[in-house]
Amino acid sequence: MTVSRAELLVDGSDRDFRQLVHDTLAFAARIQEVRSRLGALIGLSGAQYTILVAVAHLQGRDGGVGVNLLAEHLHLSGAFVTIEVNKLVAADLVIKEVNPEDRRRVLLTITAKANQLLDDLTAVQRPANDALFGCLSASDFHAFRDVVAQLVLTGDRTLKLLDYLAPDGTLTGAAARLPADPDAA
């Protein structure tokens, strides 16, 4: 058994749980490929495309968009976002300006060139997104969005748990942290 929570078992089996994990991995691979292909249509990697779209959608917020907000929004590291933003700046797609409220930080906005590319891309992006999520009703969409947001948080906690249980990345290191009696913890 790969899980022990009753909520994840069907008739005492983890078979449906394992199928859910495999289906989730398959969907994640497909959504990554869609992202990569949309980015490629405008000359960007999938990650650069995602960052550019996020800047475009977030730039109207009070206080503007900085690297930290962008990294938090996309669940990426600040260092990675900085590297990719610099590539977008070099491609004349993003403008970095000093934040007047905190001169150690930058504010990001998309350029007119980026805005035009994103506008042109909607001819492909809109039907692709509609097809990708075409099986969802409005209520399914809202429920799915909420569940995925929760799963991102539990995923982060699980990574920390794995760091604790297997700090050296091996089963021998993990064995020292596991209780001898499974019911003891």
Side-chain angles (χ1 to χ4, degrees):
M1 296 276 271
T2 57
V3 292
S4 60
R5 293 187 60 227
E7 299 88 347
L8 305 177
L9 299 172
V10 177
D11 298 327
S13 170
D14 69 343
R15 186 178 306 116
D16 288 349
F17 169 78
R18 285 183 283 128
Q19 187 62 54
L20 170 69
V21 170
H22 297 151
D23 289 344
T24 303
L25 290 168
F27 180 68
R30 283 159 180 77
I31 201 167
Q32 290 279 15
E33 181 63 19
V34 167
R35 176 181 86 149
S36 292
R37 289 187 190 191
L38 290 172
L41 290 172
I42 58 172
L44 301 175
S45 70
Q48 291 165 350
Y49 161 73
T50 298
I51 289 169
L52 185 66
V53 169
V55 172
H57 287 281
L58 295 172
Q59 67 187 7
R61 283 186 169 197
D62 286 341
V65 181
V67 170
N68 290 340
L69 174 66
L70 195 55
E72 181 181 311
H73 177 75
L74 295 173
H75 307 283
L76 297 170
S77 75
F80 177 76
V81 170
T82 297
I83 290 166
E84 296 303 315
V85 163
N86 287 338
K87 292 174 187 175
L88 295 170
V89 169
D92 191 34
L93 298 174
V94 169
I95 298 168
K96 278 174 41 173
E97 298 175 309
V98 173
N99 184 336
E101 295 176 16
D102 182 348
R103 300 194 56 77
R104 297 168 297 166
R105 302 192 184 278
V106 297
L107 293 177
L108 308 171
T109 55
I110 64 168
T111 64
K113 176 182 172 183
N115 194 52
Q116 186 61 57
L117 284 172
L118 292 176
D119 282 349
D120 294 346
L121 186 61
T122 61
V124 174
Q125 180 188 37
R126 185 177 296 125
N129 284 332
D130 287 348
L132 186 62
F133 295 97
C135 64
L136 299 179
S137 67
S139 62
D140 291 340
F141 168 71
H142 293 293
F144 183 62
R145 185 188 67 194
D146 291 343
V147 167
V148 169
Q150 291 172 38
L151 288 171
V152 169
L153 296 175
T154 60
D156 289 342
R157 286 196 301 266
T158 302
L159 291 171
K160 289 177 183 171
L161 175 63
L162 287 170
D163 288 342
Y164 170 76
L165 292 174
D168 64 356
T170 67
L171 283 177
T172 55
R177 296 234 187 240
L178 295 175
D181 176 3
D183 295 325

